[in-house]
Amino acid sequence: MPPPPLTDLLAVYDQAFAGRSWHGTPLWGALRGLDADHALRRPAPGRHNAWELVLHCAYWKFVARQRITGDAELAFPRAGHNFPELPPVPHEAEWKRDRALLKREHDLLRAVVAALKPSALTRRAGKSRFTVAETVVGIASHDLYHAGQVQLVRRLTV
């Protein structure tokens, strides 16, 4: 099956992160109005809080960008993988910084995708078994999944 046109991939990517959609709140919208104190609250012991989910999403946008570009020299600016470490002394300025990191990683990946030639969409994304197009759809789906988690965490911890 051929990949969707690049414009459609970008539309799905944008909608899942911050666009208006029929399915509800996207990831960026789920974070709106959430302060550092609430972002640190866990719905239960051992469960992720919203702050951890923000770093997790930023990290995987970075990984997708690295796979698509093939640039092994890229480095994520935070320690840890999958769920990077929270700041040692979390406070509002750090929360703002980490939300900005998520937005920056979103924008960097979007710029890479927007610059692709349509023929690049069917190639493998780095060593992944998935194509570039599948990776873009996957990261959009990842955003929506975690947007739902953030919404649930907010309801359980406020």
Side-chain angles (χ1 to χ4, degrees):
M1 182 159 121
L6 186 57
T7 54
D8 290 351
L9 279 176
L10 288 170
V12 166
Y13 181 72
D14 290 338
Q15 185 182 60
F17 185 71
R20 188 182 154 144
S21 60
W22 67 269
H23 57 69
T25 308
L27 181 57
W28 196 246
L31 301 171
R32 188 176 304 120
L34 191 62
D35 63 23
D37 178 56
H38 286 93
L40 287 167
R41 294 183 185 174
R42 296 184 188 286
R47 301 291 182 176
H48 292 295
N49 60 38
W51 198 323
E52 290 167 330
L53 295 172
V54 161
L55 291 172
H56 171 75
C57 289
Y59 175 76
W60 282 102
K61 286 175 184 286
F62 159 78
V63 169
R65 180 168 54 98
Q66 190 176 50
R67 287 178 180 172
I68 291 169
T69 64
D71 188 350
E73 299 299 313
L74 292 175
F76 191 68
R78 295 295 297 276
H81 294 57
N82 196 21
F83 283 93
E85 298 171 12
L86 290 176
V89 182
H91 50 75
E92 205 61 43
E94 297 292 325
W95 172 232
K96 184 177 179 181
R97 183 197 70 178
D98 284 341
R99 284 184 322 208
L101 172 63
L102 172 61
K103 178 75 167 80
R104 187 180 88 230
E105 289 298 335
H106 176 83
D107 291 344
L108 288 170
L109 177 55
R110 190 192 193 286
V112 164
V113 173
L116 292 172
K117 291 181 167 66
S119 60
L121 299 177
T122 57
R123 72 172 168 77
R124 297 282 169 219
K127 294 181 182 178
S128 171
R129 65 183 179 156
F130 297 101
T131 66
V132 168
E134 291 167 333
T135 300
V136 175
V137 170
I139 204 71
S141 299
H142 189 250
D143 279 355
L144 292 175
Y145 174 79
H146 289 301
Q149 276 191 310
V150 169
Q151 295 283 57
L152 288 172
V153 168
R154 287 180 78 146
R155 286 187 195 141
L156 294 171
T157 61
V158 173

